[in-house]
Structure formats: structure tokens, C-alpha cells
């Protein structure tokens, strides 16, 4: 539905519950959390390397594409 950002912190509002999505990401090595039933929060470290961000985004993209 919507992506909100403040600095490196991002919130992704989904149109479905996010708990299963978070579990799938964690199983693949990407640590996220649900702040509300349908909101995923992403908060990388301030010194995160671009390669780590790219890897995390690839995991998130793969999990999201499987949810369709």
C-alpha cells in the first residue's frame, strides 16, 4: 500500500498481514519486524554496507514475489 521513510528507517504498509512475510525473511537471514499487523519495519545500521543492503533487498523482493 505505502512505503514511509525517515532516514534509514523504512515502514512498508502491506494490504495483508505481515507476520508470515517477516518469518520468511528471517528464515533467509533478513531481520525485520511487524510494528502493526500489516506494517513491516526495516531499520539497517547507520554503517551498513551497500552490498548488505542489496542482499537484504533481494531477500525482501523474493519473499514479496512469492506472496502474490
Amino acid at each position: 500500500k505505502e512505503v514511509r521513510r525517515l532516514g534509514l528507517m523504512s515502514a512498508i504498509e502491506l494490504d495483508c498481514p505481515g507476520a508470515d512475510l517477516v518469518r520468511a525473511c528471517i528464515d533467509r537471514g533478513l531481520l525485520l519486524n511487524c510494528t502493526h499487523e500489516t506494517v513491516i519495519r526495516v531499520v539497517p545500521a547507520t554503517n551498513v554496507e551497500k552490498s548488505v543492503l542489496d542482499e537484504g533487498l533481494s531477500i525482501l523482493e523474493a519473499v514479496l514475489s512469492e506472496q502474490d
Side-chain angles (χ1 to χ4, degrees):
K1 290 176 106 176
E2 180 181 27
V3 176
R4 299 182 293 273
R5 295 197 52 201
L6 179 62
L8 285 178
M9 182 171 53
S10 298
I12 304 167
E13 187 173 356
L14 307 170
D15 59 1
C16 62
D20 290 339
L21 185 138
V22 168
R23 271 194 283 295
C25 286
I26 290 172
D27 288 346
R28 296 176 190 202
L30 177 60
L31 183 59
L32 305 171
N33 70 332
C34 272
T35 58
H36 299 290
E37 185 175 325
T38 60
V39 178
I40 304 298
R41 181 170 54 188
V42 181
V43 188
T46 57
N47 63 345
V48 66
E49 295 180 12
K50 184 181 181 316
S51 62
V52 175
L53 284 176
D54 290 342
E55 181 181 355
L57 288 173
S58 293
I59 293 169
L60 181 58
E61 182 179 24
V63 169
L64 284 170
S65 68
E66 292 169 5
Q67 301 296 317
D68 291 341

